[in-house]
Amino acid sequence: MTVRRLAAPAPGWITTADVVVVGSGVAGLTTALRVRAAGLRVLVVTKAMLDDGSTRWAQGGIAAALGDGDTPEQHLQDTLVAGAGLCDEDAVRTLVTEGPDAVRRLIATGAAFDRDGDGEIMLTREGGHHRRRIAHAGGDATGAEISRALVAAVREDEGVELIEHALVLDLLTDAEGRTAGLTLHVMGEGQRDGVGAVHARAVVLATGGLGQVFSATTNPAVSTGDGVALALRAGAEVADLEFVQFHPTVLWLGPDAEGQQPLISEAVRGEGAHLVDADGVRFMVGRHELAELAPRDIVAKGIMRRMQETGAEHMFLDGRHFGAEMWEERFPTILASCRAHGIDPVTELIPVAPASHYASGGVRTDLRGHTSVSGLYACGEVACTGVHGANRLASNSLLEGLVFAERIAADIIERDRLGKLAPRHEDTTRPVEIVPLLAAEARAEIQRVMTRGVGVLRSAESMAGAAEGLAALVGSDLEKNEPPQVETWEATNLHLVASALTAAALLREETRGCHWREDAPDRDDVHWQKHLITTLNEGRLQVR
């Protein structure tokens, strides 16, 4: 079998580890800490600084049945409803039953959540939740606090080796196709710079999302789908890529705004803010029993429909009744962000519109984090555990990263104890097909094509146009013949992920969860209550 790899120089340096973790969010750092506690040698590779991933941008909180009267069973039911018939119930049950203790262990690691006067963890509601079960920190800075605590714990452990400013390139495998490590490119100068290789007994992908596939997203600039692209080239299965969640309330900065956009957390609606149109009408009332707190796909669709009905470019979020004190204490980050863009939510309506936010699909895994490639694990947003189905329930993402990171670590530790985590040696005998790179300029064109054709509103015509536009980039003037660089690798990864996403979305001829087709507006359980699995075979994407 031919090995597919990105065009890149041969590794100029080599290092080794028992386990290499790619990513430094809640999933990656939790895995690293748990594996390290068992005495294994751990190397953490991160694309920017250790705290620059998506975790620190999470505002709302982490969902778990921690409050009086709440139960894992109630959390499970809310998650299944949000997932629109495609959740793996075993995965969800694992999440909600192991979640509360996982949060307590996170607190023991050093994460400080907001507490009331009696010292109890304060809980709020978000969309799709029938109970207050969202624990938060710093008002609206939960991800930043979780990231701070985990980064501090990792930096204190001298046994965790770190490589920052490093872009992962491709998986290394042995003669049997099992994981043997990976290649990466370190940006900057030092003892290890440029392309290198890590030989490892297990690789854990915790690379985050693919939001940069679209022009406007809440994701940081580093979220270019590198983990999914690597997994596809390595022969792994990915699932549910068509289910990209568009957050309903992202600060609207104008019709030409691109890149990372400011998020207005769902917790703002959880505390009682209302969605209104330009005439002050609460248009979500009557559309769903939970109105503004309906699952995200329903709220996003409600906003888009009202925009279509009124010809408006955005809707508004009204939190003026909170008053200055509540804004300053409960949502200081959001308040500062709005004011930085000339909007004062204490006295003004906040203009909002949906934007790309979260990938419910990703690299397909089982309940232990195994992918279809032996020795390759995936966790967090890059993974598809089956928890989210067709639409992620608010604040389940941090919990999923936490719970399944612990399960991956436990599996690696157990396999090591049983002698099943044997050293691997890269197979250098198989033929290698080099994937040509797109120029850095292709990134913007990919984003335009995807936003126009595979955004919130989709149709066979729009997606066929996107597929054609993406295919036209291969062999065009935007292919790169110069020496590879970070921007060309990222653009090439984005192209592969965008093509896979579009292929899956074209095949699913129904509307379900956050996959909304104007030409197939109904949910079709007879034909489509199933997962779509995508693989890359001999350079061709196949969806089944």
Side-chain angles (χ1 to χ4, degrees):
M1 179 179 175
T2 302
V3 177
R4 289 180 60 82
R5 290 184 184 156
L6 293 170
W13 54 271
I14 296 174
T15 190
T16 61
D18 291 320
V19 181
V20 57
V21 177
V22 188
S24 59
V26 63
L29 296 188
T30 298
T31 304
L33 287 168
R34 299 293 183 268
V35 170
R36 176 60 197 149
L40 294 175
R41 293 181 302 129
V42 181
L43 172 65
V44 174
V45 176
T46 187
K47 195 171 178 181
M49 296 293 289
L50 201 56
D51 63 349
D52 269 353
S54 292
T55 291
R56 76 181 183 97
W57 295 100
Q59 295 173 342
I62 185 167
L66 297 167
D68 291 340
D70 197 6
T71 65
E73 188 65 28
Q74 293 176 68
H75 190 181
L76 179 141
Q77 290 304 320
D78 285 345
T79 301
L80 295 180
V81 169
L86 282 187
C87 294
D88 180 326
E89 189 167 335
D90 289 340
V92 178
R93 194 169 296 280
T94 296
L95 178 84
V96 300
T97 55
E98 297 182 11
D101 283 342
V103 172
R104 295 183 184 103
R105 285 188 288 273
L106 179 62
I107 293 170
T109 302
F113 289 91
D114 295 336
R115 296 178 182 268
D116 61 21
D118 296 323
E120 297 295 322
I121 295 175
M122 297 175 68
L123 301 172
T124 190
R125 278 183 67 194
E126 291 185 356
H129 292 274
H130 284 78
R131 290 273 188 177
R132 283 185 170 265
R133 66 168 66 98
I134 315 300
H136 49 82
D140 58 358
T142 310
E145 171 57 18
I146 291 173
S147 180
R148 181 207 61 78
L150 292 174
V151 167
V154 165
R155 290 201 184 280
E156 288 172 5
D157 190 335
E158 296 180 355
V160 178
E161 189 177 359
L162 304 174
I163 301 181
E164 296 177 304
H165 300 292
L167 172 66
V168 65
L169 299 177
D170 282 301
L171 194 71
L172 300 176
T173 53
D174 67 10
E176 283 73 46
R178 299 171 298 184
T179 296
L182 52 76
T183 55
L184 70 164
H185 173 81
V186 180
M187 299 163 256
E189 298 180 358
Q191 184 178 359
R192 291 182 298 206
D193 64 340
V195 174
V198 180
H199 292 165
R201 302 159 69 196
V203 170
V204 181
L205 295 178
T207 52
L210 46 81
Q212 290 292 326
V213 159
F214 298 94
S215 297
T217 178
T218 63
N219 288 197
V222 295
S223 297
T224 51
D226 307 314
V228 171
L230 175 150
L232 280 169
R233 287 192 297 272
E237 296 179 344
V238 302
D240 297 349
L241 281 187
E242 66 271 34
F243 297 117
V244 175
Q245 187 176 81
F246 287 77
H247 198 289
T249 53
V250 175
L251 185 62
W252 189 78
L253 299 179
D256 299 321
E258 295 183 344
Q260 186 177 8
Q261 309 290 300
L263 176 66
I264 308 298
S265 170
E266 199 150 306
V268 176
R269 282 175 281 135
E271 294 292 353
H274 303 139
L275 281 167
V276 298
D277 61 19
D279 295 324
V281 176
R282 286 183 63 190
F283 56 88
M284 284 305 300
V285 175
R287 291 182 186 262
H288 190 275
E289 60 166 338
L290 295 176
E292 286 94 350
L293 286 178
R296 287 180 178 173
D297 63 311
I298 293 173
V299 179
K301 291 171 189 175
I303 291 173
M304 294 298 296
R305 286 196 180 104
R306 194 62 167 180
M307 287 165 58
Q308 289 176 326
E309 292 166 2
T310 62
E313 293 182 301
H314 59 81
M315 290 288 109
F316 295 95
L317 191 63
D318 188 358
R320 293 174 295 179
H321 53 287
F322 287 175
E325 184 177 354
M326 181 172 176
W327 273 109
E328 290 165 1
E329 292 184 359
R330 181 66 179 86
F331 301 113
T333 308
I334 296 171
L335 177 63
S337 178
C338 287
R339 285 176 170 170
H341 290 92
I343 299 155
D344 188 348
V346 176
T347 59
E348 298 176 275
L349 297 173
I350 306 170
V352 294
S356 164
H357 182 57
Y358 189 88
S360 293
V363 186
R364 193 182 191 195
T365 72
D366 63 15
L367 295 183
R368 296 172 296 170
H370 293 168
T371 72
S372 56
V373 175
S374 178
L376 178 65
Y377 296 79
C379 188
E381 190 174 354
V382 70
C384 182
T385 62
V387 160
H388 305 308
N391 180 54
R392 174 177 68 93
L393 181 65
S395 287
N396 268 355
S397 52
L398 291 175
L399 190 70
E400 182 197 33
L402 191 61
V403 167
F404 286 89
E406 291 189 339
R407 293 181 70 84
I408 286 173
D411 186 80
I412 290 173
I413 292 165
E414 178 67 6
R415 291 174 70 82
D416 179 62
R417 186 184 68 81
L418 296 174
K420 295 182 178 179
L421 204 65
R424 308 292 184 208
H425 301 285
E426 178 190 0
D427 178 22
T428 57
T429 63
R430 283 191 292 175
V432 176
E433 180 180 346
I434 299 301
V435 177
L437 303 182
L438 292 178
E441 293 75 23
R443 178 172 180 155
E445 180 59 23
I446 292 166
Q447 292 170 333
R448 282 192 289 270
V449 165
M450 292 298 289
T451 299
R452 185 168 56 243
V454 201
V456 180
L457 302 178
R458 302 170 176 177
S459 68
E461 182 180 3
S462 74
M463 291 187 290
E468 183 178 342
L470 292 170
L473 292 175
V474 179
S476 72
D477 292 340
L478 288 177
E479 275 200 345
K480 185 89 170 174
N481 295 317
E482 301 171 19
Q485 55 184 314
V486 171
E487 293 77 12
T488 58
W489 286 314
E490 286 184 328
T492 306
N493 283 338
L494 276 175
H495 183 268
L496 175 57
V497 173
S499 300
L501 193 166
T502 302
L506 255 173
L507 185 60
R508 182 174 291 280
E509 296 179 342
E510 65 160 354
T511 289
R512 181 189 297 269
C514 51
H515 174 63
W516 184 11
R517 287 190 57 156
E518 295 179 286
D519 57 339
D522 299 319
R523 173 170 155 175
D524 181 359
D525 284 350
V526 173
H527 298 99
W528 296 109
Q529 192 164 1
K530 61 182 181 180
H531 300 282
L532 297 183
I533 311 300
T534 303
T535 53
L536 185 64
N537 296 310
E538 302 303 323
R540 296 178 62 85
L541 287 166
Q542 297 180 348
V543 187
R544 65 181 193 279

